[in-house]
Amino acid sequence: MIRLLILILFFFSSCLNEKKKGDNLTIIPKPQKMILESGVFSLNNNTGIKFDSLFINELNFLKNIISLDLTGSKNYIVLKQNIFLEDEEYYLNISKNTITIEASNGKGCMHAIQSLRQLFPINYKKNTENLEIQCLEIHDFPRFKWRGMLLDCCRHFMDKDFIKRYIDLLAFHKMNILHLHLTEDQGWRIAIEKYPKLTDIGAWRINKNGEKYGGFYSKDDLIEIIEYAKKQHIEIIPEIELPGHSVAAIASYPYLSCTGDSLEVENDWGVFKDIYCAGNDSVYTFLENVLTEVMEIFPSQYIHIGGDEAPKYRWRECIKCQKRIRDEKLKDEHELQSYFIKRIEKFISKNGKRIIGWDEIIEGGIAPSATIQSWRGIDGGILAAQKNHDVIMSPTSHCYFDYDLQAINLEKVYSFEPIPKGLTEKESKHIIGGECNMWSEHAPQESIDSKVFPRILAMAEVLWSENNKDFKDFQSRVRNHYPKLDLFGVKYGYEKTPIDYDIKIINNNFRVEIFKSYKKMDLKYKIDDNNWQKYTRPIIINKSAIINVKEVNSIRDNPASKEIKLNKHLALGKKINYLTAYDKNYPANGNNSLSNGIFGDLSNFRDGQWQGFFAKDVEVIIDLEEELEFSEIKTSFFQYNLSWIIIPKKIEIMISSNGKDFIIYDQKNFNSNPMQEGKFKKEFKFNKKQSARFIKLIAKNFGKLPEKHPAAGSDCWIFIDEIIIK
Ligand code: ACM
Ligand code: ZN
C-alpha cells in the first residue's frame, strides 16, 4: 500500500516537474516535429562556435541576441550546411554538449535560431550569464512559402524604428513577407526623386481637427529597412496603389485625374471617386517613372499594384477614358481597368518583376502573370487558382486585424484554412500562402500591437505548421508565449472580446450575464450612478439602466471596459418574425437583436447590435403575445455612405390583432441622401395611441446608389437598431 502511495506521489510530482520544465518549451509556430530529450545545454562564456562561412550573417544575429562572443571550448554551437535540405527547412538538435543546426541556406538557419531563442528560459534577459536550454530535437519546414503581413503606413504613418521592430517580430514567428502599403488617398509615403511634390504635398493632410499630419520614407530610409529585413530573411513588398486610392498623388499632380481639378489630400476614410485617368498617356508615363524608382529601391521579385476599390464614376464621364474604351475596343469601364492593369503589368514584367493585385483585378480580364491577393472572401482566390494564377489568401473573414475582436478573435484566425475546399491538387498548389492585413484608419502606430497580437501568432501557425488544428493546445502555448513578447515590449491585446455579455429577458426583467476573456480577470460593475461592486453572478434588473463594467488589476496598459445600456419597453424580449432575411455577415445577435433592449453604437455598425439587410427592404412582424395599448413606436437606422449604408426612403407601420389582417398605423417618407457624408444614426418615431398584438414594420431600401456616388449603380444596405414600443 505504502509502495503504491509512493508510486502515485512520484507519478504526480514527476508530472508537475514535466509541466514546469515544459512551460517554455513551446514554440510558435509549432514545429512540424519536436522530440524532447533529457538534460540541458548550458549556454554561457564557455560555449564556442563552429560554423560554415555561409552562415556568418546568422551567426552575427545569434551573437547579438545572446550577447556572447562564443569563444569558449567547453560546449559548442554548430551551424552546418546540409545541401540536401529544402529552402527554409532546418534541423535543430540540442544535446548536453552541442547545439547543432543544419540547413541548406541562411533562411533555414535563421528559423532554427529563432526556434532556439524561443526555447530560452522564460526569465531570459540579454546578458544572462548562463542559459539552460532543454535537450531536444526539431525537424521543421513551412507549409506555405508566403507568410505575410501588411502594414498600412498611409492612413497612419509608422516610423522607421517601428517598422524594424515589426521585422524582428515577424522573423521571431517565422513570417517572411512584410507588405508595405505605401500610397493612399490619405498620404503618399515613398519619396520619388522625379516627382518631389508626392512627398512635399502628398505626404501631408490636414486632419479634421486642423492638425497637419503625415510623414514619408526617404530612399535611404527604405534601403535601410530593406537591408535590416534581409538580415532576418524578411522580404519587403512595396504596394503602389493604382488606379484607385490615389487622391494623395492627384492632390500633388492634378493632371493625373480625369478632371484635372485640384484636390486636397483626403482626411476622411473610405473609397473616393477621383482616381488616375485611364485615357491620359501622361498618367502611364508618371506611373512608369514612379515604378522605375520603386524597382530600383526594392529588390523583391514582386511589386504590388493594388487594383482594389476603383470607382468607375469619373471614367464614365471622361472624354479621354471613353475614347480609350472605343480605341481599344473595350466593352466597358471594367475592361478599361483591366487594360490599365495589363499595361502596367507589361511594364513591370519587362523589368523582370511580377505584379500582385487585389482580387478586383480579375474583373474585366486578368493580367497574364499576376498573382492575386484574395480579400473579398476566397472566391476571387479560387477563380484565380483555377485559371492557373498564384494566390495569396487574405479574406476579411479571418485576416483583417483592423476588425475588432467581436468579428475576428484568436480562435477565428486559428481556424483559417488558406486552401479552399474543392480545388484540385494542381489548383491548390497555386495557393502560395496568406497574409494578415493591418489597415490603420482607426489604428495609430501606438495601438497596432494590441490589434496584431496575439492574433498574428495564430496566423503564423496557420501558415507554417501542418498540424495546427488543436486550438486548446495552441492557446496554452500562447499563454506561455506572452513573457517572450514582453521581451520585445509588445503591448498585446486580448484573445477575444475581453468583456462580453449576454442579455436574456426573463419575466420581463433583464438578466445580464458578463463573460470575461480569461479566468483570472477581475471585473467590477455599477448600475447608473451607484457604487462599483465586484461581479460574481448575472445581474437581474427590471428597469432601463446603464451598466458599466470594468476590468481591475489588469496586466495590460489599457484595462477593458464596457458600457451596456438597457432599455425597457413593451416589445422587450418579444418574438420577431422576419419576412425578409438579414445578411449573414451582419446578423447582430440573430433573431433577438431588434427586441433585446440594447441600442447599437452611435459610430460603429459592426458592434453586434446593428442588423444589416443588403439590397432589400426590412420587413418584420413583432408579436407582443397579447393585445396591448401603446402610444409610441420608434427605431433607428445607420448611415455611412462610403460603406453604402443608407437610411431607408420610407417607413411603413401596420398593426393587426390576428397576425393576418393588417391596417396602416402610420408611415413616413424620408429624403434619404446617399451623398451625405459621415457616420450617423437617424431615429424614426411615430406617436399614436392604438392597441394591437402584431406590429409590422417595413423599411424601404434606398435602391441603387446614384450617379454622383463613388459606387454609382451599386445596391445599398439598411442597418436597423432596436424597435421600441411604448
Ligand atoms: C482592401 O482591403 N481594400 C484590399
Ligand atoms: Zn479619364
Side-chain angles (χ1 to χ4, degrees), residues 11 127 159 164 181 255 293 333 336 356 433 457 505 516 561 602 620:
F11 176 73
N127 307 321
D159 61 47
K164 285 184 175 175
H181 185 73
Y255 74 86
E293 289 193 33
E333 289 75 20
L336 182 57
I356 305 171
L457 305 179
I505 313 296
K516 43 193 186 177
S561 64
L602 284 181
V620 292

Side-chain angles (χ1 to χ4, degrees), residues 245 308-309 358 375 400 439:
H245 289 288
D308 61 321
E309 300 180 319
W358 299 106
W375 73 281
Y400 271 48
W439 300 105

Side-chain angles (χ1 to χ4, degrees), residues 4 42 141 203 229 236 268 278 316 346 358 384 413 436 502 616 648 706:
L4 187 65
S42 295
F141 48 87
I236 314 269
D268 204 351
R316 279 196 285 270
K346 210 162 167 184
W358 299 106
V413 180
C436 48
D502 176 59
K616 60 172 84 146

Side-chain angles (χ1 to χ4, degrees), residues 6 121 151 182 236 243 265 273 515 546 591 643 651 722:
I6 289 173
L151 280 179
L182 288 167
I236 314 269
V265 176
K273 60 175 168 288
F515 301 105
I546 298 179
N591 291 356
S643 286
I651 308 292
E722 184 85 356

Side-chain angles (χ1 to χ4, degrees), residues 34 80 292:
M34 175 161 122
K80 195 162 91 182
T292 299

Side-chain angles (χ1 to χ4, degrees), residues 523-579:
L523 294 181
K524 286 197 167 178
Y525 75 98
K526 67 172 185 166
I527 298 176
D528 294 328
D529 288 329
N530 298 318
N531 292 335
W532 288 100
Q533 45 189 315
K534 194 173 165 66
Y535 177 84
T536 52
R537 68 172 84 92
I539 306 161
I540 311 290
I541 181 166
N542 65 0
K543 60 181 179 80
S544 297
I546 298 179
I547 301 181
N548 273 289
V549 187
K550 68 177 181 188
E551 178 187 15
V552 286
N553 308 322
S554 179
I555 55 162
R556 289 171 173 78
D557 279 4
N558 300 311
S561 64
K562 189 105 190 168
E563 184 185 77
I564 306 167
K565 284 189 184 152
L566 304 174
N567 301 279
K568 192 148 187 204
H569 59 92
L570 292 177
L572 187 67
K574 299 294 187 272
K575 185 168 177 257
I576 310 248
N577 183 13
Y578 286 84
L579 304 182

